[in-house]
Short mmCIF file of all heavy atoms in Angstrom, two decimals:
data_model
loop_
_atom_site.label_atom_id
_atom_site.label_comp_id
_atom_site.label_asym_id
_atom_site.label_seq_id
_atom_site.Cartn_x
_atom_site.Cartn_y
_atom_site.Cartn_z
N VAL K 39 8.51 10.12 7.16
CA VAL K 39 8.28 11.28 8.02
C VAL K 39 7.13 10.93 8.95
O VAL K 39 6.02 10.65 8.49
CB VAL K 39 7.96 12.55 7.20
CG1 VAL K 39 7.79 13.75 8.14
CG2 VAL K 39 9.04 12.82 6.18
N GLY K 40 7.40 10.95 10.26
CA GLY K 40 6.36 10.67 11.25
C GLY K 40 6.61 9.37 12.00
O GLY K 40 6.72 8.32 11.40
N GLY K 41 6.69 9.50 13.31
CA GLY K 41 6.91 8.33 14.17
C GLY K 41 5.68 8.00 14.97
O GLY K 41 5.76 7.56 16.11
N GLY K 42 4.50 8.20 14.39
CA GLY K 42 3.25 7.74 15.00
C GLY K 42 3.12 6.25 14.73
O GLY K 42 4.05 5.62 14.22
N PRO K 43 1.96 5.68 15.05
CA PRO K 43 1.80 4.24 14.84
C PRO K 43 2.08 3.82 13.39
O PRO K 43 2.75 2.80 13.17
CB PRO K 43 0.33 3.99 15.19
CG PRO K 43 -0.11 5.16 16.00
CD PRO K 43 0.79 6.31 15.67
N ALA K 44 1.63 4.59 12.42
CA ALA K 44 1.80 4.19 11.02
C ALA K 44 3.28 4.20 10.62
O ALA K 44 3.78 3.23 10.06
CB ALA K 44 0.98 5.08 10.11
N GLY K 45 3.97 5.31 10.91
CA GLY K 45 5.37 5.42 10.52
C GLY K 45 6.23 4.36 11.19
O GLY K 45 7.06 3.71 10.55
N VAL K 67 11.98 10.10 10.52
CA VAL K 67 12.12 11.41 11.15
C VAL K 67 10.89 11.70 11.99
O VAL K 67 9.76 11.62 11.49
CB VAL K 67 12.26 12.52 10.08
CG1 VAL K 67 12.56 13.85 10.74
CG2 VAL K 67 13.31 12.18 9.05
N GLU K 68 11.08 12.00 13.26
CA GLU K 68 9.95 12.31 14.14
C GLU K 68 10.27 13.55 14.96
O GLU K 68 11.33 13.67 15.56
CB GLU K 68 9.64 11.11 15.05
CG GLU K 68 8.74 11.36 16.24
CD GLU K 68 7.36 11.94 15.89
OE1 GLU K 68 6.73 11.46 14.94
OE2 GLU K 68 6.94 12.89 16.60
N ALA K 69 9.31 14.48 14.98
CA ALA K 69 9.52 15.74 15.68
C ALA K 69 9.64 15.56 17.19
O ALA K 69 10.41 16.26 17.85
CB ALA K 69 8.38 16.69 15.34
N SER K 70 8.89 14.63 17.76
CA SER K 70 8.90 14.53 19.22
C SER K 70 10.01 13.60 19.70
O SER K 70 10.75 13.03 18.92
CB SER K 70 7.53 14.04 19.70
OG SER K 70 7.35 12.71 19.29
N ARG K 88 -5.22 7.37 25.17
CA ARG K 88 -5.37 7.07 23.75
C ARG K 88 -5.33 5.55 23.56
O ARG K 88 -4.27 4.94 23.68
CB ARG K 88 -4.26 7.74 22.92
CG ARG K 88 -4.37 9.25 22.86
CD ARG K 88 -5.70 9.73 22.26
NE ARG K 88 -5.97 9.18 20.93
CZ ARG K 88 -5.52 9.74 19.82
NH1 ARG K 88 -4.81 10.82 19.85
NH2 ARG K 88 -5.83 9.20 18.65
N VAL K 89 -6.48 5.01 23.31
CA VAL K 89 -6.61 3.56 23.19
C VAL K 89 -7.24 3.25 21.84
O VAL K 89 -8.15 3.95 21.41
CB VAL K 89 -7.51 3.03 24.33
CG1 VAL K 89 -7.85 1.57 24.13
CG2 VAL K 89 -6.82 3.23 25.68
N SER K 90 -6.77 2.21 21.17
CA SER K 90 -7.39 1.82 19.90
C SER K 90 -7.74 0.35 19.93
O SER K 90 -7.06 -0.45 20.57
CB SER K 90 -6.42 2.07 18.74
OG SER K 90 -6.12 3.44 18.67
N SER K 91 -8.80 0.03 19.21
CA SER K 91 -9.13 -1.38 19.07
C SER K 91 -8.33 -1.92 17.90
O SER K 91 -8.54 -1.53 16.76
CB SER K 91 -10.63 -1.54 18.82
OG SER K 91 -10.99 -0.85 17.65
N LEU K 155 -8.10 -4.25 22.56
CA LEU K 155 -7.97 -2.84 22.93
C LEU K 155 -6.58 -2.63 23.49
O LEU K 155 -6.15 -3.33 24.40
CB LEU K 155 -9.05 -2.47 23.94
CG LEU K 155 -10.43 -2.50 23.25
CD1 LEU K 155 -11.56 -2.61 24.25
CD2 LEU K 155 -10.61 -1.28 22.36
N ASN K 158 -2.33 3.21 22.48
CA ASN K 158 -1.45 3.57 21.36
C ASN K 158 0.01 3.54 21.79
O ASN K 158 0.88 3.11 21.04
CB ASN K 158 -1.80 4.97 20.85
CG ASN K 158 -3.11 4.99 20.08
OD1 ASN K 158 -3.82 3.98 20.04
ND2 ASN K 158 -3.45 6.12 19.48
N VAL K 181 13.66 15.94 15.80
CA VAL K 181 14.09 16.64 14.58
C VAL K 181 12.85 16.82 13.71
O VAL K 181 12.09 15.88 13.51
CB VAL K 181 15.12 15.79 13.80
CG1 VAL K 181 15.43 16.43 12.47
CG2 VAL K 181 16.39 15.62 14.61
N LYS K 182 12.70 18.05 13.23
CA LYS K 182 11.52 18.30 12.39
C LYS K 182 11.91 18.33 10.91
O LYS K 182 13.02 18.71 10.58
CB LYS K 182 10.93 19.68 12.74
CG LYS K 182 9.88 19.62 13.81
CD LYS K 182 9.14 20.95 13.90
CE LYS K 182 7.93 20.96 12.99
NZ LYS K 182 6.74 21.50 13.65
N VAL K 183 10.98 17.94 10.10
CA VAL K 183 11.17 18.18 8.67
C VAL K 183 10.85 19.66 8.45
O VAL K 183 9.72 20.08 8.69
CB VAL K 183 10.24 17.29 7.83
CG1 VAL K 183 10.22 17.74 6.39
CG2 VAL K 183 10.66 15.85 7.95
N GLN K 184 11.86 20.41 8.04
CA GLN K 184 11.65 21.84 7.91
C GLN K 184 11.06 22.19 6.55
O GLN K 184 10.14 22.97 6.45
CB GLN K 184 12.97 22.57 8.12
CG GLN K 184 12.80 23.87 8.83
CD GLN K 184 13.85 24.02 9.91
OE1 GLN K 184 15.04 23.78 9.68
NE2 GLN K 184 13.42 24.41 11.09
N ALA K 215 3.99 9.69 6.75
CA ALA K 215 3.23 9.08 7.84
C ALA K 215 3.10 10.16 8.89
O ALA K 215 3.22 9.93 10.08
CB ALA K 215 3.95 7.86 8.39
N ASP K 216 2.90 11.38 8.38
CA ASP K 216 3.07 12.56 9.23
C ASP K 216 1.74 13.17 9.65
O ASP K 216 1.66 14.37 9.89
CB ASP K 216 3.98 13.58 8.52
CG ASP K 216 3.67 13.71 7.04
OD1 ASP K 216 2.76 13.02 6.55
OD2 ASP K 216 4.33 14.51 6.36
N GLY K 217 0.72 12.36 9.75
CA GLY K 217 -0.54 12.81 10.36
C GLY K 217 -1.35 13.77 9.51
O GLY K 217 -1.04 14.03 8.34
N PHE K 218 -2.40 14.28 10.12
CA PHE K 218 -3.37 15.07 9.39
C PHE K 218 -2.77 16.27 8.64
O PHE K 218 -3.15 16.55 7.52
CB PHE K 218 -4.49 15.52 10.33
CG PHE K 218 -5.35 16.58 9.73
CD1 PHE K 218 -6.11 16.31 8.60
CD2 PHE K 218 -5.38 17.86 10.26
CE1 PHE K 218 -6.88 17.28 8.02
CE2 PHE K 218 -6.15 18.85 9.68
CZ PHE K 218 -6.90 18.56 8.56
N ASN K 219 -1.83 16.99 9.30
CA ASN K 219 -1.27 18.17 8.64
C ASN K 219 -0.05 17.84 7.78
O ASN K 219 0.87 18.64 7.67
CB ASN K 219 -0.88 19.22 9.68
CG ASN K 219 -2.11 19.90 10.23
OD1 ASN K 219 -2.98 20.34 9.46
ND2 ASN K 219 -2.24 19.94 11.54
N PRO K 221 3.14 17.38 6.02
CA PRO K 221 4.01 18.18 5.15
C PRO K 221 4.35 17.44 3.85
O PRO K 221 4.55 18.08 2.82
CB PRO K 221 5.28 18.39 5.97
CG PRO K 221 5.03 17.88 7.34
CD PRO K 221 3.76 17.10 7.33
N ALA K 239 -14.01 14.96 20.41
CA ALA K 239 -14.02 13.69 21.14
C ALA K 239 -13.35 13.87 22.49
O ALA K 239 -12.23 14.35 22.56
CB ALA K 239 -13.29 12.61 20.34
N VAL K 241 -11.69 12.04 25.52
CA VAL K 241 -11.15 10.74 25.88
C VAL K 241 -10.79 10.79 27.36
O VAL K 241 -10.49 11.86 27.90
CB VAL K 241 -9.91 10.36 25.05
CG1 VAL K 241 -10.27 10.16 23.60
CG2 VAL K 241 -8.82 11.41 25.20
N LEU K 272 -14.84 1.41 26.23
CA LEU K 272 -13.97 0.34 25.73
C LEU K 272 -13.21 -0.30 26.88
O LEU K 272 -12.45 0.37 27.58
CB LEU K 272 -12.97 0.93 24.72
CG LEU K 272 -13.60 1.77 23.62
CD1 LEU K 272 -12.55 2.57 22.87
CD2 LEU K 272 -14.39 0.90 22.65
N VAL K 282 -14.43 7.17 24.72
CA VAL K 282 -14.35 8.06 23.55
C VAL K 282 -15.75 8.62 23.37
O VAL K 282 -16.68 7.91 22.96
CB VAL K 282 -13.90 7.34 22.26
CG1 VAL K 282 -13.80 8.34 21.12
CG2 VAL K 282 -12.56 6.64 22.46
N PHE K 389 -10.16 15.98 21.53
CA PHE K 389 -9.61 16.14 20.19
C PHE K 389 -10.72 16.59 19.24
O PHE K 389 -11.82 16.04 19.32
CB PHE K 389 -9.11 14.80 19.64
CG PHE K 389 -8.03 14.18 20.46
CD1 PHE K 389 -8.34 13.34 21.53
CD2 PHE K 389 -6.71 14.43 20.15
CE1 PHE K 389 -7.32 12.77 22.28
CE2 PHE K 389 -5.69 13.84 20.90
CZ PHE K 389 -6.00 13.01 21.97
N PRO K 390 -10.42 17.54 18.37
CA PRO K 390 -11.42 17.89 17.36
C PRO K 390 -11.53 16.73 16.35
O PRO K 390 -10.53 16.07 16.09
CB PRO K 390 -10.84 19.13 16.70
CG PRO K 390 -9.38 19.06 16.95
CD PRO K 390 -9.18 18.29 18.22
N LEU K 391 -12.70 16.51 15.81
CA LEU K 391 -12.86 15.41 14.85
C LEU K 391 -13.02 15.96 13.45
O LEU K 391 -13.65 16.99 13.23
CB LEU K 391 -14.08 14.57 15.21
CG LEU K 391 -14.00 13.86 16.55
CD1 LEU K 391 -15.22 12.97 16.75
CD2 LEU K 391 -12.73 13.03 16.66
N VAL K 411 0.58 7.39 4.00
CA VAL K 411 -0.06 6.32 4.77
C VAL K 411 -0.67 6.91 6.04
O VAL K 411 -0.26 7.95 6.51
CB VAL K 411 0.93 5.19 5.19
CG1 VAL K 411 1.46 4.43 4.00
CG2 VAL K 411 2.09 5.74 6.01
N GLY K 412 -1.62 6.21 6.59
CA GLY K 412 -2.22 6.59 7.88
C GLY K 412 -2.99 7.89 7.79
O GLY K 412 -3.58 8.22 6.76
N ASP K 413 -2.97 8.63 8.90
CA ASP K 413 -3.77 9.84 8.95
C ASP K 413 -3.35 10.89 7.94
O ASP K 413 -4.13 11.80 7.64
CB ASP K 413 -3.76 10.43 10.37
CG ASP K 413 -4.81 9.77 11.28
OD1 ASP K 413 -5.18 8.61 10.99
OD2 ASP K 413 -5.27 10.41 12.24
N ALA K 414 -2.16 10.80 7.41
CA ALA K 414 -1.75 11.74 6.36
C ALA K 414 -2.63 11.52 5.12
O ALA K 414 -2.91 12.45 4.37
CB ALA K 414 -0.29 11.51 6.01
N HIS K 416 -5.75 9.81 5.35
CA HIS K 416 -7.17 9.82 5.70
C HIS K 416 -7.37 10.04 7.19
O HIS K 416 -6.70 9.44 8.01
CB HIS K 416 -7.82 8.49 5.30
CG HIS K 416 -6.94 7.30 5.59
ND1 HIS K 416 -6.67 6.87 6.87
CD2 HIS K 416 -6.24 6.49 4.77
CE1 HIS K 416 -5.85 5.84 6.81
NE2 HIS K 416 -5.56 5.58 5.55
N ILE K 418 -10.50 10.11 10.03
CA ILE K 418 -11.84 9.57 10.05
C ILE K 418 -12.46 9.81 11.41
O ILE K 418 -11.77 9.96 12.41
CB ILE K 418 -11.74 8.04 9.72
CG1 ILE K 418 -13.09 7.40 9.59
CG2 ILE K 418 -10.89 7.33 10.73
CD1 ILE K 418 -13.01 5.90 9.28
N PRO K 420 -13.98 8.75 14.82
CA PRO K 420 -13.57 7.53 15.54
C PRO K 420 -14.71 6.58 15.87
O PRO K 420 -14.50 5.60 16.59
CB PRO K 420 -12.93 8.08 16.82
CG PRO K 420 -13.57 9.39 17.04
CD PRO K 420 -13.93 9.93 15.68
N GLY K 423 -13.83 3.11 15.33
CA GLY K 423 -12.52 2.71 15.84
C GLY K 423 -11.61 2.17 14.77
O GLY K 423 -10.88 1.22 14.97
N GLN K 424 -11.65 2.79 13.59
CA GLN K 424 -10.89 2.21 12.47
C GLN K 424 -9.67 3.01 12.03
O GLN K 424 -8.91 2.52 11.22
CB GLN K 424 -11.83 2.02 11.27
CG GLN K 424 -12.81 0.89 11.47
CD GLN K 424 -12.10 -0.42 11.71
OE1 GLN K 424 -11.46 -0.97 10.84
NE2 GLN K 424 -12.20 -0.93 12.94
N GLY K 425 -9.50 4.22 12.55
CA GLY K 425 -8.43 5.08 12.05
C GLY K 425 -7.07 4.41 12.04
O GLY K 425 -6.40 4.35 11.00
N LEU K 426 -6.70 3.90 13.17
CA LEU K 426 -5.38 3.30 13.27
C LEU K 426 -5.29 2.00 12.48
O LEU K 426 -4.27 1.70 11.87
CB LEU K 426 -5.09 3.06 14.75
CG LEU K 426 -3.65 2.79 15.11
CD1 LEU K 426 -3.28 3.58 16.33
CD2 LEU K 426 -3.43 1.33 15.37
N ASN K 427 -6.38 1.27 12.47
CA ASN K 427 -6.38 0.02 11.70
C ASN K 427 -6.25 0.29 10.21
O ASN K 427 -5.59 -0.46 9.49
CB ASN K 427 -7.66 -0.77 11.98
CG ASN K 427 -7.65 -1.34 13.38
OD1 ASN K 427 -6.78 -2.12 13.73
ND2 ASN K 427 -8.59 -0.92 14.22
N MET K 428 -6.89 1.35 9.75
CA MET K 428 -6.73 1.71 8.35
C MET K 428 -5.27 2.04 8.06
O MET K 428 -4.72 1.64 7.03
CB MET K 428 -7.62 2.91 7.99
CG MET K 428 -9.07 2.52 7.80
SD MET K 428 -10.17 3.96 7.90
CE MET K 428 -9.67 4.90 6.49
N GLY K 429 -4.65 2.76 8.98
CA GLY K 429 -3.23 3.10 8.83
C GLY K 429 -2.37 1.84 8.76
O GLY K 429 -1.47 1.73 7.93
C1 FAD H 1 -10.37 10.40 19.97
C2 FAD H 1 -9.79 9.44 19.01
C3 FAD H 1 -10.01 8.08 19.18
C4 FAD H 1 -9.50 7.16 18.30
N1 FAD H 1 -9.77 5.83 18.47
C5 FAD H 1 -9.32 4.92 17.59
C6 FAD H 1 -9.60 3.50 17.69
O1 FAD H 1 -10.29 3.06 18.61
N2 FAD H 1 -9.11 2.67 16.75
C7 FAD H 1 -8.35 3.14 15.73
O2 FAD H 1 -7.92 2.32 14.89
N3 FAD H 1 -8.03 4.45 15.59
C8 FAD H 1 -8.51 5.36 16.49
N4 FAD H 1 -8.21 6.70 16.32
C9 FAD H 1 -7.37 7.14 15.23
C10 FAD H 1 -5.87 6.96 15.48
O3 FAD H 1 -5.49 7.50 16.69
C11 FAD H 1 -5.10 7.60 14.36
O4 FAD H 1 -5.61 7.13 13.14
C12 FAD H 1 -3.60 7.26 14.42
O5 FAD H 1 -3.00 7.81 15.55
C13 FAD H 1 -2.90 7.81 13.20
O6 FAD H 1 -1.57 7.39 13.20
P1 FAD H 1 -0.51 8.01 12.20
O7 FAD H 1 0.77 7.35 12.55
O8 FAD H 1 -1.02 7.94 10.83
O9 FAD H 1 -0.48 9.59 12.53
P2 FAD H 1 -0.10 10.36 13.86
O10 FAD H 1 -0.32 9.51 15.05
O11 FAD H 1 -0.80 11.65 13.77
O12 FAD H 1 1.47 10.59 13.74
C14 FAD H 1 2.06 11.57 12.90
C15 FAD H 1 3.46 11.85 13.42
O13 FAD H 1 4.14 12.68 12.50
C16 FAD H 1 4.93 13.59 13.20
N5 FAD H 1 5.17 14.75 12.35
C17 FAD H 1 4.25 15.55 11.77
N6 FAD H 1 4.85 16.53 11.10
C18 FAD H 1 6.18 16.37 11.25
C19 FAD H 1 7.32 17.09 10.80
N7 FAD H 1 7.22 18.17 10.04
N8 FAD H 1 8.55 16.64 11.14
C20 FAD H 1 8.67 15.51 11.91
N9 FAD H 1 7.63 14.82 12.36
C21 FAD H 1 6.40 15.23 12.05
C22 FAD H 1 4.12 13.92 14.44
O14 FAD H 1 4.95 14.38 15.48
C23 FAD H 1 3.45 12.58 14.74
O15 FAD H 1 4.18 11.83 15.68
C24 FAD H 1 -8.73 7.62 17.21
C25 FAD H 1 -8.48 8.99 17.04
C26 FAD H 1 -9.03 9.90 17.91
C27 FAD H 1 -8.80 11.37 17.70
#
Side-chain angles (χ1 to χ4, degrees):
Chain K
V39 182
V67 187
E68 166 57 44
S70 68
R88 291 301 305 274
V89 171
S90 299
S91 59
L155 292 160
N158 287 7
V181 173
K182 270 192 90 135
V183 168
Q184 216 135 47
D216 42 0
F218 167 64
N219 285 311
V241 294
L272 309 166
V282 182
F389 299 88
L391 297 184
V411 293
D413 276 24
H416 40 70
I418 185 181
Q424 288 301 292
L426 196 136
N427 289 300
M428 282 162 65

